[in-house]
């Protein structure tokens, strides 16, 4: 699932559950997840970073 | 008996700090009377015999509610957590249960159903968290030692912010049974006190070691590694100055201090988030469904956020966790211990969501976790000890990190560093018994 698809589904679900204030947190989490996936991709490919 | 009565008086004299949720005056007085009888009969159990200590209200103490600082229905344990059993066996007297950030899910101790914990120096400031009540109780002489928990820094953060000593041992070195979990693969329990020697006495009892720990002994020369990239990037100038003072004092004493790098350290926060959120949500899922309004709004939202983390991203984080663990191990190949600040900032204002860090605005929570959470991810033992104050008198802490499984050695090194970081005997809040 792409980050964009995940974020859209998560925000819709939060809205449906009456938790619209969760949206900014989910957007923040989406940025962290994108960074996590990028790290996973880079580090698995043996890139060195510090 | 005098010690217990003195602590109870000090608790009573500063109730406005909200350090305690439950004060166990009657049982503490009874235990002190029993201790006096045992001592009079020559039945000495060790250095904790008759010493009043407090326990974070996330830890089960038989016959008292474990509130976790929440309005969610408490646990009503019939038995002590194993850590508490061990402390009682060593003769310690439990004087009460300390206040905390609700369910240990925060760094400021301000989201608590029992009111925010206030910093003793200024009630508008946070004492750090989540074990904030424990640190305040120590600073104010309400107890001589305290049991805290640490999932991202919750023992070390308030220790640094309040000027006390706090130890997070190696992962799983102390049992977390009988303690309300936050994140089962990140949770640690550890001792807090006013000096390294007192923390060592607590740790010895909590780990049921058969051989007394000797933190004072011959001083050999150690090599300290300062992990500069990431960990020293954004610091309050007075925190940077405290680290430099400690570095210079260690070098002057003949120790070596060198720069080291922990590869991939900049990935720490993303990895941590994808572990702590779903693990916390797992435990709280039933209560989030049945009693969502009993949580503080901020804590509830963070727990709800964890329900949306995908399994594949949790597994990614666990995979990266092994890489980070290897990176810390690699850094420790070139030194005996790591030396770094515990907190980038001194005590933040209660209610603040952002804080100034060397000229830039940063989120409070992320800032307070930045230098501690890596060692929850990797499981390495870490200790925070006082390193003086800022120019306007706010405590600053430095952190030492050792190889996994060498907590005793870390305490030995910490006792040496304490001589230089505080410029004295390490007793910040006065002598301890």
């Amino acid at each position: 699932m792409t980050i964009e698809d995940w974020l859209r589904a998560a925000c819709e679900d939060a809205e449906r559950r009456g938790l619209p204030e969760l949206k900014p947190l989910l957007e923040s989490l989406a940025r962290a997840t994108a960074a996590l996936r990028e790290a996973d991709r880079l580090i698995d490919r043996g890139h060195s970073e510090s | 008996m005098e010690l217990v009565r003195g602590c109870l008086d000090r608790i009573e004299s500063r109730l406005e700090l909200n350090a305690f949720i439950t004060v166990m005056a009657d049982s503490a007085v009874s235990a002190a009377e029993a201790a006096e009888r045992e001592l009079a009969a020559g039945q000495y159990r060790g250095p904790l015999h008759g010493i009043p200590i407090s326990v974070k209200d996330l830890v089960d103490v038989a016959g008292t509610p474990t509130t976790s600082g929440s309005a969610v229905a408490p646990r009503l344990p019939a038995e002590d957590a194993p850590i508490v059993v061990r402390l009682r066996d060593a003769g310690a007297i439990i004087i009460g249960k300390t206040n905390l950030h609700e369910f240990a899910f925060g760094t400021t101790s301000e989201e608590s159903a029992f009111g925010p914990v206030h910093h003793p120096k200024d009630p508008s400031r946070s004492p750090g968290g989540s074990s904030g009540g424990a640190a305040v109780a120590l600073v104010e002489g309400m107890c001589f030692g305290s049991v805290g928990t640490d999932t991202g820094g919750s023992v070390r953060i308030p220790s640094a912010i309040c000027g006390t000593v706090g130890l997070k041992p190696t992962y799983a070195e102390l049992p977390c049974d009988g303690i309300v979990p936050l994140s089962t693969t990140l949770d640690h329990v550890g001792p807090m006190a006013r000096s390294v020697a007192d923390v060592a006495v607590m740790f010895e009892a909590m780990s049921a070691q058969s051989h007394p720990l000797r933190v004072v002994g011959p001083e050999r020369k150690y090599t300290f590694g300062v992990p500069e990239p990431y960990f020293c990037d954004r610091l309050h100038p007075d925190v940077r100055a405290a680290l430099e003072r400690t570095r210079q004092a260690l070098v002057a004493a003949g120790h070596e201090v060198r720069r080291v790098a922990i590869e991939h350290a900049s990935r720490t926060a993303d990895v941590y988030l994808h572990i702590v959120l779903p693990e916390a949500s797992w435990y709280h899922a039933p209560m989030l469904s049945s009693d969502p309004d009993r949580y503080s709004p901020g804590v509830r939202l963070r727990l709800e956020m964890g329900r949306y983390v995908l399994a594949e991203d949790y597994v990614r984080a666990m995979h990266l966790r092994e890489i980070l663990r290897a990176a810390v191990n690699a850094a420790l190949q070139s030194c005996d211990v790591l030396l770094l600040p515990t907190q980038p900032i001194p005590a933040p204002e209660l209610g603040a969501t952002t804080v100034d860090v060397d000229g830039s605005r940063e989120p409070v929570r992320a800032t307070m976790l930045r230098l501690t959470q890596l060692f929850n991810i990797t499981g390495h033992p870490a200790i925070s000890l006082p390193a003086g104050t800022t120019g306007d008198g706010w405590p600053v802490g430095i952190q030492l990190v050792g190889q996994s499984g060498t907590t005793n050695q870390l305490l030995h090194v910490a006792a040496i560093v304490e001589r230089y970081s505080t410029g004295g005997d390490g007793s910040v809040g006065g002598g301890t018994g």
Side-chain angles (χ1 to χ4, degrees):
Chain A
M1 180 180 266
T2 67
I3 301 286
E4 293 75 18
D5 289 345
W6 169 83
L7 180 59
R8 190 179 311 112
C11 287
E12 285 173 6
D13 187 66
E15 184 80 40
R16 182 186 61 76
R17 296 176 58 224
L19 290 169
E21 63 271 43
L22 203 51
K23 285 185 181 176
L25 296 182
L26 290 169
E27 287 163 359
S28 170
L29 179 59
R31 288 190 289 276
T33 304
L36 182 85
R37 291 184 181 185
E38 178 72 356
D40 190 40
R41 189 179 67 80
L42 285 176
I43 294 170
D44 264 354
R45 291 181 183 185
H47 287 228
S48 181
E49 55 175 22
S50 58
Chain B
M1 180 61 74
E2 262 180 50
L3 293 179
V4 166
R5 291 212 184 277
C7 289
L8 290 171
D9 287 346
R10 283 187 280 277
I11 293 170
E12 191 66 29
S13 70
R14 298 221 63 186
L15 291 175
E16 76 281 4
L17 295 176
N18 271 336
F20 280 81
I21 290 175
T22 302
V23 180
M24 300 165 59
D26 292 344
S27 63
V29 167
S30 298
E33 289 168 348
E36 281 185 348
R37 285 194 298 273
E38 288 178 349
L39 289 166
Q43 298 167 334
Y44 178 62
R45 297 202 209 180
L48 277 179
H49 201 168
I51 301 299
I53 66 164
S54 63
V55 176
K56 185 179 185 177
D57 202 11
L58 200 67
V59 180
D60 286 346
V61 173
T64 67
T66 307
T67 71
S68 306
S70 181
V72 172
R75 302 207 308 199
L76 300 169
E79 295 180 352
D80 289 334
I83 284 296
V84 175
V85 171
R86 290 175 181 182
L87 285 164
R88 286 197 205 267
D89 286 348
I93 295 171
I94 313 297
I95 200 152
K97 313 280 297 287
T98 54
N99 202 354
L100 66 153
H101 207 119
E102 184 178 8
F103 284 111
F105 209 7
T107 57
T108 56
S109 303
E110 62 193 307
E111 292 175 302
S112 166
F114 300 85
V117 187
H118 299 275
H119 198 293
K121 183 173 153 55
D122 178 346
S124 72
R125 301 282 191 117
S126 162
S130 64
S131 309
V136 171
L138 288 166
V139 169
E140 288 297 300
M142 299 168 177
C143 59
F144 289 83
S146 194
V147 175
T149 65
D150 190 315
T151 301
S154 286
V155 158
R156 291 161 287 156
I157 292 168
S159 297
I161 296 286
C162 290
T164 55
V165 180
L167 170 69
K168 180 199 82 66
T170 304
Y171 178 72
E173 195 168 13
L174 298 179
C176 284
D177 308 299
I179 300 175
V180 176
L182 174 58
S183 176
T184 53
T185 73
L186 296 169
D187 289 341
H188 299 65
V189 59
M192 302 165 70
R194 292 195 288 261
S195 69
V196 173
D198 287 358
V199 159
V201 166
M202 293 266 295
F203 179 66
E204 180 188 336
M206 292 167 78
S207 53
Q209 298 190 35
S210 54
H211 304 294
L213 271 173
R214 290 174 57 86
V215 295
V216 179
E219 178 174 338
R220 78 165 173 87
K221 300 308 176 192
Y222 286 96
T223 301
F224 296 85
V226 178
E228 291 201 346
Y230 179 74
F231 296 96
C232 295
D233 289 350
R234 298 193 307 278
L235 301 174
H236 186 288
D238 290 346
V239 172
R240 193 180 297 281
L243 178 66
E244 178 57 20
R245 275 197 309 273
T246 304
R247 188 193 71 78
Q248 288 179 5
L250 288 168
V251 170
H255 300 285
E256 182 180 349
V257 183
R258 61 172 63 160
R259 296 175 184 176
V260 297
I262 298 177
E263 203 172 14
H264 312 302
S266 63
R267 306 297 187 175
T268 298
D270 298 324
V271 172
Y272 180 80
L273 197 64
H274 287 81
I275 297 172
V276 73
L277 289 179
E279 290 190 356
S281 297
W282 162 75
Y283 176 79
H284 286 277
M287 288 91 79
L288 283 170
S289 297
S290 62
D291 289 307
D293 295 333
R294 287 180 177 255
Y295 289 89
S296 301
V299 171
R300 179 190 175 194
L301 286 179
R302 288 199 288 284
L303 290 170
E304 287 286 358
M305 189 163 49
R307 304 175 103 173
Y308 292 93
V309 173
L310 296 179
E312 66 172 278
D313 291 318
Y314 175 74
V315 174
R316 272 191 186 96
M318 294 300 263
H319 171 66
L320 289 167
R321 174 183 215 166
E322 294 308 316
I323 289 167
L324 287 172
R325 185 175 290 134
V328 174
N329 284 337
L332 283 164
Q333 290 297 308
S334 62
C335 58
D336 295 302
V337 297
L338 301 175
L339 168 69
L340 64 156
T342 310
Q343 282 293 281
I345 54 168
E349 295 277 351
L350 284 169
T353 55
T354 61
V355 63
D356 180 80
V357 188
D358 200 16
S360 71
R361 296 304 294 182
E362 308 273 347
V364 168
R365 179 177 158 78
T367 297
M368 296 181 82
L369 288 168
R370 182 149 58 85
L371 307 183
T372 52
Q373 62 192 347
L374 174 60
F375 310 109
N376 295 82
I377 292 171
T378 66
H380 291 80
I383 186 168
S384 179
L385 49 156
T389 62
T390 62
D392 45 0
W394 291 100
V396 172
I398 56 165
Q399 186 177 199
L400 303 173
V401 180
Q403 300 269 11
S404 285
T406 65
T407 306
N408 286 356
Q409 185 188 336
L410 181 68
L411 283 164
H412 181 78
V413 177
I416 292 168
V417 174
E418 186 179 49
R419 298 174 202 160
Y420 306 112
S421 65
T422 60
D425 66 358
S427 296
V428 173
T432 60

